[in-house]
Every structure is written in C-alpha cells, then in structure tokens.
C-alpha cells in the first residue's frame, strides 16, 4: 500500500459512525418519524440527513452520550412545547441542525432548546430561527461545563406583557417587546462563544410603540412599588418597554465561571446581561442595543476586555449593584445568608465605544445617557460597587471627526458615577480616551492611581 493510500485508510477509519453512508448507520428514514427514531435509540448519537422534519412534541435527550447531528431542518408545529429538551444527561451533542417554527406559529412561550441539570452539553453550529418567546431561544438551567458555540439565533423577540405585580419593588404590568437569545441560569463553567444573536423582526420604532401601546400599564397594584418613581407610577407608563437580552447569565449566587467570547449581537434591547461571578466578556461586537452590557445583582470579578460597542443609546458598559445584592448575614423572608453577594473586583479594559447615541432607541432615551455608568444599589441594603479598574478604553465620537462640521455629542457625560452615599467606591481610571459630553467628561472627578 502506498503512503497516500495508507493515510486515506486511516482517515476513513476515523470518521464517526454518525456520518452518512456508514455501514450499520441508524437511518431516520427507517422510522415513521424523527420523534420515533430518537425515542427508539436512547443513548445514541443520530445523524439527521438533509430535509424537513415536522414534529408536534419536543425531541428529548435524557441519556448520556446521546444527541443529534446533521443538516436536517426540524420544524416544531406545536407552539406550546420546546423544540429540543435535554434533561439530566451528560455529554449530549447537538450540531449542524436548523430549528424553526412555521409561519403563524412562531410566537411561543417555550424555548427552542432547553437543557436542565445536564453536564458537558455541546450545542454547535445550530440555527434557531423564529422562536419568538419571552423564555429564550437557547436556555441552560442548572447545568455545568456546557458550550454554546458558532450558533445563529435570529428573530427571538415577541410582543408581550411584563408582569411585575408580584414584586413589592415594582407592582405593575406593562406592554412590551421581550425576548432572550441565549440564557444560562444557575450554571457553572459555561462557554458562550462565536454565536450570532440577531433580531430583524421587532425593532423599537415609534410606529410599533403607538400601535401596541408599548410601555403602558395593563395592571397596577394598590400600592406603589419601592423602586418605580412616582412620576412613572402616576403616568402609568414606563419607557423601558424594550425588554430582554441577547445573552443573559443569571442567578447571581449560583452562576460562576462563565466565558462570553467572540459573539456578534445586533438589534437587541440589552446586549449582554450578567448576574454572576468570575466572568470573561471578551472580543464581542454589540451593535445597536440601547444597553451594550451590564453586570449587577452581585456580579463579582468580571473581566470586560477588547469588545466593540456600537450605536448604544443609554449606556455601553454599566456596573451597579441590584436589588439582589447583599452583605453577609442579610436576612430576607426569615432566611439569613451565609455569605455576601456583592459587586466589584472587576476590570474594564481596551474596549472601543463608537457611534454612541446613534442607535434605533435614541428617540426613546434622548442624549442623556452615558457610555460608562457606575451606579448605586437599587435598595438601601445593597452594598456599594467596589474596586474597579477602567483602563485603555476609547470612546469615539463621530461628531468630532477632523474636517467635518462638529455636532454635539449624544451623551451628557462620558462617565456617570452615582453620588449617593452607597455609590461606587475605589474606582480607578487610567489611559482612557474620553471625549466630553454636553456636560463634561464625568459628573465627578475621575479617581486615578
């Protein structure tokens, strides 16, 4: 055997058994439906050939080392159920699939993919299209060491009601646009990398707002919530009716060790929303989200490095305590916390913020935003944000390009820092380029080394 033939034989022998045409391959066509094929082969990795496969209940993977790979297109005709469920399983692989809901059934309350209590799940090169939900197109819950990589989530938002009447902090419900692209809740060791999360269907235009009365209350408790201001309560209207996030990692006292890398986000409400510890947010592009990213509710040790934030309107990078932040020993509803859930110990470095105030939502927020925002807590017991380094960032104002007629910046301050007694402590700024806004560079003197 020649050397070339020898190496060809080695390569062919290494091709996984799920590849099309292998002897002994499980053929989806040999079963009455894709659902039957998956149910009949627990713990197997199946190949899905090209073609359309309609289902009316979710594909369920609850055995270790199972999964589905291939270029087939799965069409979920039942809006009341997810498309794929992964439950209490290890080493499941979902790769190269297209998941959609058909026209007329795109709006749902359920996920495209939901994984619960699973480990080492890999979701790779999967497209989730027109799964328009308040839940998430791809959702992880109580999972560990999972990867969501090189996927496309497109058109994930819907018209909805955000009901906050059960919370004493709010006490109202309102019409909104809502939806989440990728969500991880109470997860550890998660990597979200190289994905594209894009909304093309529902954009925050004045016409959409008027047509659907977005922001208007549909329900109101007898007593005002503790957080909402009196003016909004009396007007029965809030302007934060563009809800949801392209990527969110929540459950701040459980979620840990998260990497959000190299993702492209377009036309989100919030680009990246973090309530978690030990996070790397690096080399992402967030384009045309009214809020580029925020870390709050007890987000500790967050690295925000080398990202591009384009056409944000309220802020690009925001760090702040939230209602869930607390000191050790805090007691709520008779339960005393053993440890603190606080915000800080973070670094914001080498990011570029450009075209601030030129996004879809500028007409909502006006020019009063700030590219960098460091806020106080929402409630009196929230510990202050502490120990943050802000270094080497560039704020590029298109109204100040050489040779062009200068227009005023579309932000009040480049940096906004709360002056409240519980406001941020021990912030350090160095080597940033921060063109002043209409009121200056910052609302306070920036602390430096």
């Amino acid at each position: 055997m020649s050397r070339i033939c020898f190496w060809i034989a080695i390569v062919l022998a290494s091709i996984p058994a799920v590849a099309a045409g292998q002897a002994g391959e499980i053929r989806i066509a040999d079963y009455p439906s894709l659902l039957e094929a998956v149910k009949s082969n627990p713990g197997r990795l199946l190949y899905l050939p090209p073609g359309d496969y309609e289902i009316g209940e979710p594909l369920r993977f609850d055995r270790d080392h199972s999964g589905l790979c291939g270029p087939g297109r799965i069409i979920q005709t039942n809006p009341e159920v997810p498309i794929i469920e992964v439950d209490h399983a290890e080493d499941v692989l979902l790769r190269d699939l297209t998941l959609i809901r058909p026209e007329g059934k795109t709006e749902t309350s359920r996920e495209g993919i939901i994984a619960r209590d699973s480990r080492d799940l890999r979701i790779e090169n999967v497209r989730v299209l027109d799964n328009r939900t308040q839940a998430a197109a791809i959702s992880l819950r109580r999972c560990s060491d999972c990867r969501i990589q090189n996927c496309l989530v497109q058109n994930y938002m819907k018209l909805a009601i955000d009901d906050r009447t059960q919370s004493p902090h709010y006490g109202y419900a309102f019409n909104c646009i809502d939806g989440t692209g990728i969500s991880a809740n109470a997860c550890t060791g998660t990597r979200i990398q190289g994905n594209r999360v894009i909304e093309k269907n529902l954009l925050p235009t004045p016409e959409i707002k008027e047509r659907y009365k977005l922001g208007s209350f549909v329900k109101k408790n007898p007593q005002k919530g503790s957080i909402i201001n009196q003016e909004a309560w009396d007007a029965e209207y809030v302007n934060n009716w563009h809800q949801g996030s392209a990527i969110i990692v929540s459950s701040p006292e459980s979620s840990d060790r998260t990497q959000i890398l190299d993702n492209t986000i377009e036309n989100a409400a919030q680009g990246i929303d973090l309530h978690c510890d030990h996070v790397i947010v690096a080399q992402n592009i967030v384009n045309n989200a009214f809020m580029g990213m925020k870390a709050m509710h007890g987000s500790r040790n967050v690295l925000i490095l080398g990202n591009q934030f384009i056409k944000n309107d309220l802020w690009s990078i925001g760090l702040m305590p939230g209602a869930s932040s607390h000191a050790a020993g805090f007691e709520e509803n008779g339960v005393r916390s053993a440890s603190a859930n606080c915000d800080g110990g973070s670094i914001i470095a080498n990011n570029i913020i450009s075209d601030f105030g030129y996004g879809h939502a500028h007409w909502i927020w006006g020019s009063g935003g700030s590219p960098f925002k460091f806020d106080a807590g929402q409630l009196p017991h929230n510990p202050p944000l502490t120990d943050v380094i802000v270094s080497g960032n560039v704020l590029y104002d298109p109204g100040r390009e050489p040779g062009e007629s200068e227009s005023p910046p579309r932000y009040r301050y480049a940096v906004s820092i709360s002056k409240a007694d519980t406001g941020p402590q021990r912030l350090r700024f160095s080597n940033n380029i921060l063109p002043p806004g209409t009121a200056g560079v910052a609302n306070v003197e920036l602390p430096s080394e």
Side-chain angles (χ1 to χ4, degrees):
M1 179 185 294
S2 71
R3 180 172 295 182
I4 293 176
C5 292
F6 171 78
W7 283 113
I8 290 174
I10 292 293
V11 170
L12 289 174
S14 68
I15 296 175
V18 297
Q22 288 288 307
E25 174 195 341
I26 297 168
R27 289 168 45 87
I28 300 295
D30 291 341
Y31 294 85
S33 68
L34 174 58
L35 285 165
E36 285 298 320
V38 171
K39 289 178 181 179
S40 300
N41 293 280
R44 302 288 296 270
L45 182 60
L46 306 182
Y47 173 76
L48 187 67
D52 288 352
Y53 301 84
E54 286 196 357
I55 58 175
E57 57 183 277
L59 298 175
R60 183 175 175 83
F61 299 92
D62 56 6
R63 301 290 183 90
D64 296 350
H65 316 301
S66 59
L68 190 64
C69 301
R73 195 170 76 145
I74 302 170
I75 304 170
Q76 177 56 272
T77 61
N78 184 353
E80 303 301 320
V81 298
I83 303 175
I84 292 179
E85 292 181 320
V86 180
D87 212 345
H88 290 82
E90 185 172 337
D91 188 31
V92 172
L93 175 62
L94 304 173
R95 187 173 63 203
D96 299 333
L97 309 167
T98 297
L99 311 180
I100 68 169
R101 296 183 186 268
E103 187 174 351
K105 297 182 179 180
T106 55
E107 292 206 357
T108 176
S109 61
R110 305 306 303 271
E111 299 82 2
I113 300 173
I114 180 167
R116 306 179 192 90
D117 303 291
S118 295
R119 185 180 184 90
D120 291 321
L121 165 67
R122 289 172 291 156
I123 305 173
E124 301 175 352
N125 196 35
V126 171
R127 303 194 306 160
V128 184
L129 311 178
D130 294 310
N131 192 91
R132 304 174 188 177
T133 179
Q134 280 182 282
I138 301 175
S139 178
L140 308 179
R141 298 182 189 174
R142 301 176 304 278
C143 293
S144 59
D145 303 314
C146 297
R147 300 199 297 272
I148 304 172
Q149 297 185 162
N150 303 323
C151 295
L152 170 63
V153 173
Q154 184 169 291
N155 294 342
Y156 55 93
M157 307 195 83
K158 66 179 288 187
L159 296 166
I161 292 175
D162 189 331
D163 191 342
R164 304 182 179 188
T165 56
Q166 300 303 308
S167 169
H169 304 315
Y170 298 97
Y172 61 93
F174 61 101
N175 294 318
C176 66
I177 296 172
D178 202 358
T180 295
I182 297 173
S183 169
N185 180 272
C187 296
T188 58
T190 307
R191 177 182 289 183
I192 302 171
Q193 182 173 17
N195 304 288
R196 292 179 295 146
V197 185
I198 300 170
E199 177 63 35
K200 295 182 177 181
N201 180 56
L202 277 176
L203 303 179
T205 64
E207 295 76 18
I208 288 286
K209 174 187 177 295
E210 290 303 317
R211 184 185 308 167
Y212 298 106
K213 307 300 179 187
L214 299 175
S216 297
F217 286 13
V218 296
K219 193 187 301 183
K220 182 177 175 181
N221 290 348
Q223 184 174 349
K224 183 181 84 68
S226 60
I227 290 178
I228 183 173
N229 65 59
Q230 189 66 51
E231 182 180 359
W233 183 261
D234 294 339
E236 300 188 353
Y237 171 82
V238 289
N239 58 2
N240 62 332
W241 46 262
H242 194 198
Q243 290 287 313
S245 304
I247 298 173
I248 182 170
V249 182
S250 60
S251 193
E253 299 189 64
S254 303
S255 288
D256 198 15
R257 296 179 290 110
T258 304
Q259 299 175 73
I260 301 176
L261 312 171
D262 308 320
N263 301 284
T264 297
I265 294 167
E266 295 186 9
N267 302 331
Q270 302 174 102
I272 299 171
D273 192 4
L274 302 177
H275 317 155
C276 51
D277 296 337
H278 304 108
V279 192
I280 300 174
V281 180
Q283 295 182 225
N284 302 282
I285 297 176
V286 181
N287 180 37
N288 223 329
F290 83 81
M291 187 187 301
M293 70 150 289
K294 74 174 190 285
M296 64 185 300
H297 293 302
S299 291
R300 179 168 55 94
N301 305 133
V302 182
L303 286 171
I304 305 166
L305 306 172
N307 302 282
Q308 291 272 359
F309 295 97
I310 309 164
K311 293 184 179 179
N312 309 139
D313 294 302
L314 189 57
W315 69 69
S316 290
I317 300 175
L319 271 60
M320 60 211 72
S324 299
S325 302
H326 59 76
F330 173 70
E331 186 172 332
E332 187 174 36
N333 299 324
V335 178
R336 183 179 294 274
S337 63
S339 59
N341 180 44
C342 53
D343 300 78
S346 299
I347 297 174
I348 302 171
N350 302 337
N351 301 281
I352 298 177
I353 299 173
S354 58
D355 300 330
F356 188 88
Y358 286 86
H360 290 318
H362 177 259
W363 70 273
I364 302 171
W365 302 105
S367 297
S370 295
F372 292 91
K373 184 176 180 66
F374 303 93
D375 213 345
Q378 294 177 301
L379 299 172
H381 70 260
N382 300 143
L385 170 72
T386 58
D387 301 315
V388 179
I389 292 173
V390 185
S391 179
N393 301 284
V394 174
L395 171 58
Y396 185 74
D397 181 2
R400 298 174 182 271
E401 291 189 62
E404 293 190 3
S405 58
E406 188 171 303
S407 59
R410 292 189 169 189
Y411 52 90
R412 183 168 169 77
Y413 295 104
V415 179
S416 175
I417 301 175
S418 173
K419 298 179 182 179
D421 292 341
T422 57
Q425 300 175 6
R426 299 193 298 274
L427 306 185
R428 296 292 182 267
F429 290 77
S430 65
N431 300 318
N432 301 287
I433 296 178
L434 303 171
T438 55
V441 173
N443 61 325
V444 299
E445 183 177 350
L446 295 181
S448 59
E449 294 289 346

